[in-house]
Amino acid sequence: MTVPLSRHRRPALPLRGLYAGRARSVVRRAARAHRHQWLDLLAGLVEPLCYLLVFGATIGALAGDMETEFGPMSYTAFLGPGLLASAMMSSAVADTSFKVLFRLRHSRLYDVLLATPLGPVDIALGEMGWALVRGAGYAGVFLGALTALGEARTWWALLALPAAVLTAFAFAALGMTVTTFLRNWKDLDLISLATMPMALLSTTFFPLSAYPAALHPFVEAVPLYHAVRLLRGLCSGAPTPDLLLNAGYLALIAAVGVLVTGRRLATLLLD
């Protein structure tokens, strides 16, 4: 049974009552809640690492070096950044969909948090902040694995870590925004319906030239494509200036997501 959202008002907070500058408190609460859930934290990393090792040893051995827009690279080097971007998307969306819906609609945790010196934007940034902490850990381990395999031996790969965190931020903001519009658990299927094709159609496994020309505009409009291209360009050691456009695209999604989520939480919990 769904618990109705509370309808209460309280004194205005700074920045029009939405932000109190205490998002770190929400991140600390999430860290304490997960301190004994190591299997849950590691689950999102095992799958992409297995894909990297298995696909790299099989398809990579058959394909050899590939010609890409960033120069020739092995299939493992091509696949790794795509899997990293996909892992960032999956973990960020998982942290800001199912769990957020439970806290918003059932446990009423956010009502409790709003009874403290926190605003809706603090909650939004805090939940997204935990997704970034988790994503940064995943990215560090994954990039370490790529380096150990000899597929990321360039100083540019150091920038792949903040790029991966930016990817997690964009998808955490997008996931939490969408979740605030969900009505029940069945609606979560809509998120899976969007993320699965996105993982397959964003040049994760194959270059853009392998897709039909009619699909190119659609693929290039998908957020994950920009994340994959950004990470692949940095890990290749031959980045191009237009990667800044990919980073800007992700940053714009993150910024808009934070604003919309904060407004939505204010509407749902304070009005």
Side-chain angles (χ1 to χ4, degrees):
M1 176 177 172
T2 301
V3 178
L5 301 175
S6 64
R7 302 291 182 181
H8 64 278
R9 292 185 179 276
R10 43 182 217 144
L13 294 168
L15 297 180
R16 298 183 181 179
L18 297 180
Y19 184 57
R22 298 174 181 268
R24 61 186 179 277
S25 300
V26 182
V27 178
R28 287 198 297 266
R29 187 213 67 81
R32 288 195 298 269
H34 287 83
R35 66 183 183 276
H36 298 305
Q37 299 178 15
W38 294 107
L39 290 178
D40 178 57
L41 293 177
L42 293 175
L45 183 61
V46 172
E47 183 178 349
L49 281 176
C50 288
Y51 276 130
L52 178 67
L53 295 175
V54 173
F55 282 24
T58 55
I59 298 177
L62 296 174
D65 287 347
M66 302 176 57
E67 284 296 331
T68 71
E69 59 181 314
F70 303 110
M73 60 177 66
S74 69
Y75 185 71
T76 302
F78 176 86
L79 179 64
L83 290 176
L84 175 57
S86 183
M88 294 298 98
M89 176 188 71
S90 298
S91 65
V93 170
D95 279 330
T96 55
S97 57
F98 176 86
K99 296 175 182 178
V100 167
L101 184 63
F102 177 76
R103 294 164 189 156
L104 181 64
R105 301 283 183 180
H106 294 268
S107 72
R108 302 181 66 178
L109 174 63
Y110 296 153
D111 291 275
V112 175
L113 294 180
L114 287 175
T116 68
L118 291 172
V121 174
D122 295 283
I123 294 174
L125 286 174
E127 294 287 10
M128 295 174 198
W130 170 247
L132 300 193
V133 171
R134 183 173 176 175
Y138 285 177
V141 174
F142 198 93
L143 289 170
L146 277 179
T147 303
L149 291 171
E151 304 296 352
R153 294 180 178 177
T154 169
W155 289 107
W156 284 106
L158 294 176
L159 293 179
L161 181 58
V165 173
L166 175 61
T167 300
F169 192 8
F171 281 101
L174 186 60
M176 195 163 180
T177 297
V178 172
T179 300
T180 60
F181 288 93
L182 301 184
R183 299 161 298 177
N184 51 54
W185 297 112
K186 292 181 180 179
D187 289 345
L188 287 171
D189 292 338
L190 299 175
I191 294 180
S192 298
L193 188 63
T195 56
M196 181 60 73
M198 199 184 302
L200 296 175
L201 297 176
S202 297
T203 69
T204 304
F205 299 96
F206 306 102
L208 185 62
S209 59
Y211 296 87
L215 284 180
H216 288 191
F218 172 77
V219 172
E220 292 172 342
V222 172
L224 186 59
Y225 166 79
H226 294 269
V228 171
R229 190 173 185 276
L230 176 62
L231 289 169
R232 188 168 286 148
L234 292 172
C235 290
S236 72
T240 55
D242 60 342
L243 292 182
L244 292 174
L245 296 177
N246 301 119
Y249 185 97
L250 296 172
L252 178 62
I253 290 177
V256 173
V258 170
L259 293 176
V260 174
T261 300
R263 293 289 183 184
R264 284 290 299 163
L265 289 178
T267 299
L268 293 171
L269 298 171
L270 295 179
D271 288 350

